[in-house]
Amino acid sequence: SKGFRCLSVKGEQGQIELTGLSSLFGEMGFHEVWIEVGATLFEAFMNKKLFQEAIFYQSKASLLGRGHFDLRKIPSDAYECEREVDWGDDLKQIYLLKGLE
């Protein structure tokens, strides 16, 4: 009644099956989905090539701790960095799936 829906998605080894989730978003008519994820889930989405565009924000301070996403893990055969913005203490990077116009 407040505009929220609970969705059921298949599991894969105790985790959400990401390809099914991505397909479900498409079936629902979503063209853009904003998600906030940690390093592990972000890497899983990138490795499955489920993003057409990924906007990545990261605090430079987080690079010193554990749990940050190592940008070298982005599959360079699939994605390229279109733009990087250095905001002093933070970074913003925009990655596009190769072959998109």
Side-chain angles (χ1 to χ4, degrees), residues 21-86:
L21 180 62
S22 180
S23 296
L24 181 60
F25 289 151
E27 291 167 12
M28 295 173 70
F30 294 134
H31 298 283
E32 286 190 22
V33 177
W34 288 66
I35 58 173
E36 182 175 345
V37 298
T40 302
L41 190 53
F42 186 79
E43 183 177 357
F45 269 101
M46 295 296 277
N47 286 333
K48 289 181 181 273
K49 300 176 183 140
L50 296 176
F51 292 132
Q52 290 181 343
E53 176 184 53
I55 303 173
F56 184 76
Y57 298 93
Q58 185 163 326
S59 164
K60 289 180 185 175
S62 72
L63 297 173
L64 302 174
R66 58 189 178 107
H68 76 279
F69 181 72
D70 183 349
L71 295 172
R72 294 172 295 187
K73 292 183 178 180
I74 294 175
S76 61
D77 63 323
Y79 291 92
E80 59 189 339
C81 185
E82 177 189 80
R83 193 172 82 205
E84 180 174 288
V85 180
D86 187 334

